[in-house]
Amino acid sequence: MRLTKMLVTPGRPYPLGASVDDSGVNFALFSAHATAVYLCVYDASGVNELARVALPRQSDHIWHGHIEGLALDCCYGYRVDGPYQPELGHRFNVNKLLLDPYAKLLLGELVDHPSHYAYQQQHPDADLSFCSLDSGDFMPKCKIVDTRNLSPIPAVAKEYDQTQPSLSLRRSIIYEMHVKGFTQLFPDLTEAERGRFSGIANANVVQYIKNLGVTAVELLPVQQFASEPFLQQKQLSNYWGYNSIGFFAPHQAYLNNADINEFRQMVAALHQSGIEVLLDVVYNHTAEGDCRGPSLCFRGIDNLSYYRLHPQQPRYYINDTGCGNSVDLSNPHVLRLVMDSLRYWVEVMGVDGFRFDLAATLGREPQGFNVNSSFFDAIKQDPVLSQVRLIAEPWDIGPGGYQLGHFPMGWSEWNDRYRDTVRRFWRGDAGMLPEFARRFHGSSDLFEHAGRRPSASINFITSHDGFTLTDLVSYRQRHNDANGEQSRDGHQENFSDNCGMEGVSQDLHIQALRTRQSRNMLTTLLLSQGVPMLLAGDELGHSQQGNNNAYCQDNTTTWLSWQQDIQRDEQLQFTRRLIKLRQRFPLLCHREYIHDSCTTGSPALDWFCRQGSPMTKTLWSEAQTRTLSVVISGELEAQPQCRQALLLMLNADDESLHFTLPTISGISHWDCLIHTQDSGFDSETKGYFAGGAAKQFLLQSKSLMVFYAQFEGAN
């Protein structure tokens, strides 16, 4: 039936977006400065436009209308009319088909075409000109989604016993992964599952993640994103996905059948295995870029409301993100959009929390970053969002943009100082002992002053952004030529070390050193106070051939290889052992910061030099010392009378050195749980691996040992 025969009424201004009811569909769109809003209705294919209707009413800047009897398989988009005055911040152009900011699903591809630009690209005054080309044929369409009768997603299954108490953030082990990169080459998946949410939901994939021992997956952006025109022109794409254009819609390429239930089924499958799902979300900027970018959604709906513009020259965007624009969360309507989006992903899609990309931008107000900004206050008072995991990337590139340690109570933060310190310590940089101790301790100097706990620190050695763990010990320089920017992109300083040769090496000595260094950093990560985050593939020795900015490499550079070999299997088994060790000893993830010594109480954390003596101010200041021992002790939560201790001996020196066990009252016997030394290196210390009474051990260069002891008299 043609839409012209259907009844169009004013409808209601809330909820925003396309809302299905018993009689039809209600449409509502915010625009404070538009003069007219036209709803374009398409058939189920998204190709044929059925009708164009002006939304009949505006209520407090919300344009709305209801269409009775509209088929639920229809698609739609908007055209918004108003002034085209870039010098005043207005960029309306009714010739541009625009996405609904509240669209739950998109259909069709975004095809790079001159019609997407509201201005004439070849005009001498560029964006001040006006382009009348129609973009409708080159835009994806919004799909109507009825969410009224969706079944609830089961909560995360939690095991209640002494070895795995109910999961809290401090007990979490986060696993950062990419939907396509993880599944594209995974064995025994169907072609339809490769690169998609259904691949993550596959029982074999879920079992792998569960067997690894991690408690939460953190997915790189899965909200609808677009590839920048400059990448498309180079036959590349935005692989990571940090270029959002739809805050509610799952990314089309990760779906098989254009059904949001595919995402929900993935979440349910992970939840049933006790694994939380966290989303990496991008609300700080959009895919529309700077003043010369395309008009795809927000820019054409109400540029002046959605973006932060220069007060004196509103033609230009404030670019604190480095991506061309910055979303204006000080506008209450824009803030509502973000809050509605977050609640939707929790309440409808079932996720357990979020990692916020460039989160400093979200807290920016006219005077700068504000820990009491409207965004943080809105989260704090929200009964749903205040209860989920909230993780900040605590920086952007704007003035005062580095805000590590300054986010509100209840938030955790990516701790790049932890990353850099651990890398530099194991590389052998001078003077690293005090900084290493602070980071290992949970970075109390950064977080405790505000009453926050060790779980505020998300510790990581590697992430999607930068070298993989294998590349961190194989390359001194970035090798990003494939990105087409002459290797000028990506971090210049990575605090990496190639162990004697740049890139792949057949030298057995270099290979052994690289293995030790990888395991040293993994062990440090899993034994530090705070919440560890592991980059997917590091447990398999994945390499990106030295590319430390592989955001546009949708190929085997970033796709994980699952081919088995001895070295990869040994690395995987070592990682699993480490994770089990952390789960076995809750004292590694203590609720509060540990400031006591083992001589005064429990829990306790004590530092020793390699000779077994307590660290002194003089010893801490010895810049050339690259060795350290630490003892963490405490009572078991389930058995308060059982006091245990872990001893970690660290040798970041280039020479093999003798370490003496520290003397601790109540401990006479240590057992080695794990070590990173080369196979066979323990010839001089055979007894201690079985728990012997040896007091001194030779640690190979660039290696560590972890011991366990139970205090005498403990049950």
Side-chain angles (χ1 to χ4, degrees):
M1 180 180 289
R2 297 287 295 177
L3 184 63
T4 52
K5 297 181 181 179
M6 297 182 184
L7 179 62
V8 179
T9 61
R12 57 194 186 279
Y14 190 84
L16 290 159
S19 305
V20 178
D21 56 37
D22 292 339
S23 61
V25 183
N26 190 81
F27 296 89
L29 179 74
F30 160 73
S31 181
H33 301 96
T35 57
V37 173
Y38 300 96
L39 173 70
C40 301
V41 179
Y42 290 80
D43 63 10
S45 70
V47 174
N48 303 305
E49 186 174 355
L50 301 179
R52 190 173 302 183
V53 177
L55 292 185
R57 185 162 298 175
Q58 185 202 91
S59 304
D60 298 329
H61 302 313
I62 308 296
W63 298 77
H64 53 95
H66 183 277
I67 301 179
E68 186 174 330
L70 182 63
L72 298 188
D73 62 351
C74 285
C75 298
Y76 70 100
Y78 288 113
R79 295 178 184 273
V80 182
D81 206 356
Y84 187 79
Q85 298 173 314
E87 66 281 4
L88 299 179
H90 299 305
R91 294 179 179 271
F92 295 100
N93 188 327
V94 76
N95 300 291
K96 312 305 168 187
L97 185 71
L98 305 171
L99 301 174
D100 180 1
Y102 279 76
K104 307 299 191 300
L105 186 65
L106 299 185
L107 186 68
E109 292 186 31
L110 175 63
V111 180
D112 185 30
H113 191 269
S115 64
H116 292 310
Y117 299 84
Y119 64 92
Q120 300 175 45
Q121 290 179 286
Q122 306 305 320
H123 193 280
D125 289 326
D127 64 304
L128 294 180
S129 64
F130 186 81
C131 174
S132 60
L133 292 176
D134 193 290
S135 66
D137 291 342
F138 309 98
M139 282 289 293
K141 310 306 187 295
C142 307
K143 193 80 172 175
I144 297 172
V145 176
D146 186 357
T147 62
R148 292 175 299 170
N149 299 315
L150 294 176
S151 58
I153 294 176
V156 179
K158 298 177 181 178
E159 301 173 15
Y160 291 89
D161 59 41
Q162 294 180 358
T163 60
Q164 183 65 34
S166 58
L167 187 64
S168 62
L169 179 59
R170 63 190 174 96
R171 300 278 179 93
S172 295
I173 300 171
I174 299 172
Y175 190 57
E176 191 197 34
M177 60 189 292
H178 188 282
V179 170
K180 184 172 185 179
F182 195 87
T183 61
Q184 187 65 24
L185 302 178
F186 196 92
D188 301 324
L189 295 186
T190 66
E191 285 304 312
E193 291 175 319
R194 298 190 184 281
R196 295 181 172 89
F197 298 126
S198 57
I200 301 293
N202 180 280
N204 292 328
V205 172
V206 174
Q207 193 61 47
Y208 173 86
I209 298 171
K210 183 176 178 62
N211 289 345
L212 184 59
V214 298
T215 66
V217 297
E218 182 177 300
L219 301 178
L220 268 67
V222 299
Q223 295 174 340
Q224 185 66 49
F225 58 87
S227 293
E228 297 87 340
F230 78 89
L231 286 178
Q232 296 181 55
Q233 292 162 12
K234 293 191 292 185
Q235 304 299 307
L236 297 171
S237 63
N238 190 315
Y239 170 75
W240 285 349
Y242 293 93
N243 205 39
S244 296
I245 198 60
F247 293 154
F248 290 77
H251 187 58
Q252 279 190 81
Y254 298 160
L255 297 171
N256 277 313
N257 300 308
D259 184 353
I260 66 169
N261 277 303
E262 296 176 38
F263 179 91
R264 287 162 42 83
Q265 289 161 4
M266 175 197 70
V267 174
L270 291 166
H271 279 188
Q272 288 165 0
S273 289
I275 301 166
E276 293 184 330
V277 179
L278 312 178
L279 299 188
D280 199 334
V281 289
V282 186
Y283 296 110
N284 59 80
H285 75 281
T286 78
E288 293 184 305
D290 62 14
C291 63
R292 298 198 177 191
S295 291
L296 307 174
C297 181
F298 312 97
R299 173 174 284 139
I301 293 172
D302 193 347
N303 185 66
L304 192 59
S305 294
Y306 279 104
Y307 293 114
R308 296 174 60 223
L309 308 178
H310 281 282
Q312 306 305 320
Q313 293 182 297
R315 172 186 177 185
Y316 300 107
Y317 295 80
I318 294 174
N319 186 22
D320 291 330
T321 65
C323 300
N325 62 60
S326 301
V327 174
D328 186 4
L329 270 79
S330 66
N331 184 301
H333 293 279
V334 181
L335 177 61
R336 178 166 69 174
L337 167 69
V338 173
M339 296 294 290
D340 288 348
S341 169
L342 291 170
R343 277 191 298 270
Y344 175 80
W345 286 98
V346 174
E347 295 182 310
V348 176
M349 306 298 266
V351 306
D352 304 285
F354 306 93
R355 179 265 191 189
F356 294 84
D357 179 64
L358 300 181
T361 296
L362 306 180
R364 283 188 179 275
E365 296 193 333
Q367 72 277 16
F369 178 83
N370 184 357
V371 71
N372 296 312
S373 71
S374 56
F375 172 71
F376 294 132
D377 285 347
I379 293 281
K380 187 183 303 180
Q381 63 79 43
D382 190 282
V384 173
L385 299 179
S386 61
Q387 302 304 308
V388 303
R389 312 292 196 212
L390 301 169
I391 301 171
E393 182 183 41
W395 52 76
D396 62 20
I397 68 166
Y402 188 74
Q403 293 293 332
L404 178 64
H406 297 151
F407 278 71
M409 186 82 72
W411 283 70
S412 298
E413 303 173 36
W414 271 28
N415 191 343
D416 64 321
R417 286 184 63 179
Y418 178 94
R419 174 197 66 194
D420 294 347
T421 298
V422 173
R423 290 182 178 191
R424 294 185 63 194
F425 173 80
W426 283 111
R427 188 172 69 170
D429 289 10
M432 294 304 301
L433 294 188
E435 180 75 359
F436 177 86
R438 285 190 285 268
R439 302 306 141 233
F440 185 90
H441 178 243
S443 297
S444 61
D445 58 321
L446 300 177
F447 301 107
E448 193 176 20
H449 65 91
R452 298 165 72 189
R453 294 168 172 155
S455 59
S457 179
I458 303 296
N459 300 331
F460 65 105
I461 308 294
T462 56
S463 68
H464 68 275
D465 187 6
F467 281 146
T468 67
L469 184 61
T470 293
D471 290 352
L472 187 63
V473 298
S474 304
Y475 295 91
R476 272 272 186 177
Q477 307 296 327
R478 58 192 172 184
H479 296 266
N480 300 355
D481 290 343
N483 296 354
E485 300 179 43
Q486 291 76 51
S487 282
R488 293 192 299 266
D489 60 308
H491 296 294
Q492 183 174 358
E493 177 53 78
N494 299 279
F495 304 113
S496 60
D497 186 16
N498 62 21
C499 296
M501 178 180 177
E502 191 76 356
V504 177
S505 173
Q506 302 303 317
D507 186 294
L508 296 181
H509 174 76
I510 291 176
Q511 290 181 1
L513 177 56
R514 289 175 176 175
T515 297
R516 295 202 305 277
Q517 287 287 64
S518 295
R519 295 182 177 185
N520 289 337
M521 286 185 273
L522 282 173
T523 306
T524 303
L525 176 66
L526 270 300
L527 268 62
S528 296
Q529 299 292 303
V531 180
M533 185 187 78
L534 180 69
L535 173 64
D538 278 353
E539 78 278 15
L540 300 169
H542 176 67
S543 171
Q544 294 178 166
Q545 295 79 53
N547 191 324
N548 76 342
N549 189 36
Y551 77 104
C552 57
Q553 298 300 317
D554 186 0
N555 49 50
T556 53
T557 300
T558 52
W559 302 345
L560 300 189
S561 171
W562 300 93
Q563 293 182 353
Q564 293 185 335
D565 62 46
I566 294 176
Q567 188 172 5
R568 290 164 62 87
D569 186 63
E570 288 179 347
Q571 181 81 339
L572 175 60
Q573 297 307 320
F574 184 85
T575 307
R576 286 175 175 169
R577 286 180 62 198
L578 278 175
I579 292 175
K580 286 181 179 179
L581 191 153
R582 182 176 180 88
Q583 293 171 333
R584 175 183 168 188
F585 296 104
L587 56 90
L588 293 174
C589 42
H590 200 264
R591 176 183 171 86
E592 308 290 345
Y593 282 103
I594 302 173
H595 293 296
D596 288 335
S597 166
C598 63
T599 61
T600 60
S602 177
L605 192 150
D606 296 89
W607 299 96
F608 300 89
C609 65
R610 69 178 179 90
Q611 289 83 6
S613 302
M615 291 292 290
T616 63
K617 185 175 181 179
T618 299
L619 291 173
W620 283 117
S621 65
E622 292 181 355
Q624 300 308 313
T625 298
R626 296 173 175 84
T627 58
L628 196 61
S629 293
V630 56
V631 174
I632 308 169
S633 58
E635 296 175 343
L636 290 177
E637 293 181 3
Q639 303 176 42
Q641 303 306 313
C642 182
R643 193 173 178 207
Q644 301 176 317
L646 292 175
L647 164 64
L648 178 62
M649 291 178 170
L650 309 158
N651 182 16
D653 202 273
D654 291 329
E655 301 293 332
S656 299
L657 297 170
H658 283 91
F659 278 64
T660 300
L661 289 174
T663 301
I664 297 177
S665 177
I667 295 179
S668 61
H669 181 91
W670 293 93
D671 290 318
C672 182
L673 298 178
I674 200 167
H675 69 95
T676 64
Q677 302 183 82
D678 293 347
S679 177
F681 189 78
D682 56 319
S683 57
E684 296 185 32
T685 57
K686 269 183 184 176
Y688 81 85
F689 284 112
K695 297 297 183 184
Q696 190 177 75
F697 308 106
L698 181 67
L699 263 69
Q700 189 176 8
S701 63
K702 307 290 187 185
S703 71
L704 59 79
M705 296 175 65
V706 181
F707 294 86
Y708 165 77
Q710 185 168 306
F711 283 80
E712 295 175 358
N715 295 327

